Amino acid sequence: MKTRRFFLYSIIYIGLIWLAVFSFVNQNYAVNLFGYNLDIPIATWVILPLVLFAILALFHMSYYGFKIYLDGRAMRNDAQIYNTLAKEIYLGLESNKDFKTDIFNASSEVTKSLSPWLNLGKPNLQNDDLRLAYELYCDVKSGKVCELKKFKLLKTNPLYIQNEKNKIKADYKYAISVLSNKETNDELISAASNALIENGTFLELSKFNPTYTNSDIFILINRYVKDNFEISTNDIFATISKVKFTSDEYIQIAKILKSKIEPDLLISMFDRLRNEEPSALEAYLYLLYDFGMIDQLREIIASENSKFERIETLIFLRDHGKITRADLFY
């Protein structure tokens, strides 16, 4: 209630009380105070405590009204200081503003910690919940696996998604449970698929029939060559056949596999590949030359209408007594 309205209502109320008492008891009552005889109506004696209460209430309301005014002015000043701080943070400046109230302390610390340009260190957060949220954010962002159940985050929440990625990275087998969940979003499916490609067995991959990219196939081939991915030659062929490569990519695949697969098997594999995918033909010719099957190589080149400059150059050099490694041209 506003002070003026309280003052007016107090006068009206006290006046009504005085009239009510005076109408029933129209008598005076005398009191001797410090030798002075005070003789006034009883109705006046009744309202004196009310008058005192009203005066004290007015002083109380005035005091806190003035205090609220000062606090409001301080808050407005702090709001301007915070706006300046936020502007300086956006501009990459080291801002250190002093606030007259505590209201903007947490906001200023959080704002400084989110600077897009400078690392201003760990914020000094006094609020326990806010500090816990910040520490959780830092841990998840750094790759740690955290317990988030008590926060009841949605599965679309970016913090939840990153924490799930951290779980997948910490233990690739967790990717199997992620892929088994039909409600998993595309971002986590991609992360789980990549984890299986980089660490899973051929049997684990086969359960989900993933759609491979060119880079996925190269990862699997390199794992196979390094003996940390068990797969049969037929399955290698089937896996490579799922993706279309450029001529140079097929050649790179042949170069990687020739250190792992026996020459006859590898040549047979690329013979099948070139019949299914014309882009694999030059990789097949590369293997024929590399394994010294020159006569067969000549026959195929003669039967093709295309030109294979690198292979033909190698044959030309060989015919003139300069046997050159195929890898110098590929």
Side-chain angles (χ1 to χ4, degrees), residues 215-228:
S215 59
D216 293 338
I217 300 297
F218 274 100
I219 291 172
L220 293 175
I221 290 173
N222 279 294
R223 287 184 59 201
Y224 170 67
V225 171
K226 294 175 181 177
D227 294 326
N228 63 359

Side-chain angles (χ1 to χ4, degrees), residues 167-196:
K167 290 181 182 179
I168 293 170
K169 189 174 181 180
D171 181 8
Y172 87 88
K173 289 188 179 295
Y174 184 70
I176 298 174
S177 62
V178 172
L179 292 173
S180 300
N181 187 351
K182 296 181 179 180
E183 297 181 357
T184 303
N185 64 49
D186 293 340
E187 190 174 354
L188 281 180
I189 288 175
S190 177
S193 298
N194 290 336
L196 273 186

